[in-house]
Amino acid sequence: MKKFLVILPVFACTMAHAEFVTDLGKGWRLSVGPQFGFNASGRLGVKGGAVPLPAASFSSTRGAAQSAGDSIAVGTGKTTFGNGAFIDPNDAAGIVGETWNWYVPAGQLNNGGMSFANAYSEHSTVYEAVGGSDKDSNWSVGTSFGIDRAIWTYGDFGVEVGFNFAFFLKDDWFKGSAGGYRRTDSVIEGEYLTDVNFNPDVVNDPWAQNPDGSWGVGTYEGPGPILDLNNGDVAVSHRWGAESSRSTTSFSGPFSIRGDLQMYEFQLALKPYYALTEWFMVRGTLGVGLDYRNFSGLGSETVDDWDCYMVYGLGGIFHWKGLCLGADFLGKAFDDDLDVNTRYVNGSIGNAKWGFRAYVGYEF
């Protein structure tokens, strides 16, 4: 209780020497000067769905190879094979389903049959979007305007209230690259094989083979060894040969990301000070800020928003005969990043974590 009784008179004496500045005609300061923002960073990426992919392409010869092989058939008309052999169901005997009008050159039979290969090579090109993002850090410079007024003084101590406005305009604030596409070229190769097999009882009969090693008489008039087409003396079958595949991958990109930043700051703060000398004082800053941010250049799209935060700092002022020269180091707390979500790009742009303001002013 005794300590409280001692402190109370001291506080009362202090308040007696302190005063609120109520005269609106004095205690003002107008200032202007450059302001810098540092340690701001952003991360942007190209949306995968927005990557301009070329159209995929495909070529198909597998079906063509199968059609060519399936066209080889016997019994419906003259069939001419690619190795010089042929089977013609029409002969002078005129018995339906039987013919001696057939011929196979020497050396063209292997175990009583012939095989014909129709090769194919299918090509395809497919594109896939490649995502990713890029980060860039940058600084900015703008112009600041301020108006301060002393509202309370006590000897060399005092408190000012101040309003500051600043704007920053910077082209290519963000410069980065991200995204692209992956190109995969694939090739599938193989054969469609057609096997033509003869009845061994026919081709192994010495009478069926000619002195030059060929088989069959090969004439309309004949006579010669007979093929019974109705009872399977000639069988045609098809099969796929061994397939092989290969692919190559290449990349295109990344795409350039560029963005311009505009920012407008509005700050209202209490600024306690202490006059070290008649011509110099140190001053703190504690208040709130409201920023308008505009980020453009992303495929002709613009993103903007408002951000409220706390501003704090420390600085000093030289003053002489109404003129002053000062500087403040400022920081921001509880601020939010600018979210970027456009047709082509997404990510975020951060605020400058700290800044520096220099100014000249006039006091009255």
Side-chain angles (χ1 to χ4, degrees):
M1 185 65 179
K2 291 181 179 180
K3 291 182 179 180
F4 179 76
L5 293 176
V6 173
I7 292 173
L8 185 60
V10 173
F11 176 76
C13 182
T14 300
M15 294 303 298
H17 290 82
E19 65 173 323
F20 288 95
V21 181
T22 57
D23 185 356
L24 298 180
K26 66 178 183 179
W28 296 89
R29 180 186 303 106
L30 302 177
S31 61
V32 62
Q35 182 169 326
F36 301 85
F38 299 97
N39 200 29
S41 63
R43 180 177 289 277
L44 297 177
V46 176
K47 290 182 176 179
V51 174
L53 294 179
S57 61
F58 303 90
S59 68
S60 177
T61 60
R62 199 171 191 265
Q66 184 174 13
S67 296
D70 290 345
S71 67
I72 298 176
V74 296
T76 58
K78 185 178 180 179
T79 301
T80 301
F81 303 96
N83 59 356
F86 70 86
I87 299 175
D88 191 341
N90 298 312
D91 63 1
I95 301 175
V96 177
E98 294 184 2
T99 184
W100 59 50
N101 191 6
W102 63 279
Y103 177 78
V104 177
Q108 295 302 312
L109 286 182
N110 183 16
N111 294 323
M114 304 180 294
S115 292
F116 303 94
N118 289 281
Y120 61 88
S121 179
E122 293 186 341
H123 299 255
S124 65
T125 301
V126 178
Y127 301 89
E128 299 174 88
V130 178
S133 61
D134 200 3
K135 186 176 181 180
D136 191 23
S137 298
N138 216 326
W139 61 279
S140 53
V141 59
T143 303
S144 172
F145 302 89
I147 180 169
D148 302 317
R149 183 179 183 274
I151 58 172
W152 181 84
T153 62
Y154 173 65
D156 293 332
F157 292 92
V159 176
E160 298 177 339
V161 63
F163 173 78
N164 284 86
F165 166 74
F167 64 89
F168 304 84
L169 308 174
K170 187 171 181 63
D171 294 339
D172 281 345
W173 184 93
F174 187 96
K175 292 182 289 185
S177 57
Y181 59 84
R182 179 188 298 109
R183 171 176 173 166
T184 302
D185 294 288
S186 301
V187 179
I188 300 176
E189 295 177 327
E191 293 178 327
Y192 187 69
L193 299 169
T194 300
D195 297 319
V196 180
N197 293 301
F198 292 83
N199 186 343
D201 292 338
V202 175
V203 295
N204 291 334
D205 189 331
W207 186 62
Q209 191 168 21
N210 302 312
D212 64 354
S214 62
W215 290 266
V217 66
T219 65
Y220 177 80
E221 293 81 6
I226 295 174
L227 292 177
D228 187 347
L229 303 180
N230 289 332
N231 292 314
D233 280 354
V234 181
V236 179
S237 61
H238 308 281
R239 57 191 170 90
W240 294 101
E243 284 189 341
S244 64
S245 63
R246 64 182 185 273
S247 63
T248 58
T249 301
S250 58
F251 295 88
S252 294
F255 301 106
S256 176
I257 305 176
R258 294 289 187 273
D260 306 329
L261 180 65
Q262 300 181 27
M263 187 168 68
Y264 302 86
E265 285 187 350
F266 306 87
Q267 297 175 349
L268 181 65
L270 292 175
K271 301 180 179 182
Y273 67 83
Y274 176 67
L276 294 176
T277 67
E278 293 183 355
W279 46 270
F280 179 74
M281 67 180 184
V282 293
R283 185 177 69 165
T285 298
L286 183 63
V288 295
L290 183 65
D291 289 355
Y292 172 74
R293 301 168 296 183
N294 181 294
F295 191 65
S296 60
L298 307 171
S300 73
E301 295 185 88
T302 298
V303 177
D304 61 349
D305 76 349
W306 291 86
D307 179 40
C308 186
Y309 55 90
M310 184 181 80
V311 61
Y312 59 92
L314 183 66
I317 303 177
F318 296 91
H319 51 98
W320 177 74
K321 292 185 178 181
L323 299 178
C324 66
L325 177 65
D328 291 317
F329 290 92
L330 302 171
K332 293 179 179 180
F334 312 115
D335 56 319
D336 294 324
D337 292 347
L338 170 63
D339 292 327
V340 178
N341 187 12
T342 70
R343 178 182 177 185
Y344 299 103
V345 177
N346 61 358
S348 63
I349 299 296
N351 285 327
K353 299 304 179 184
W354 62 278
F356 174 75
R357 176 192 297 149
Y359 54 86
V360 295
Y362 176 69
E363 299 174 337
F364 58 90

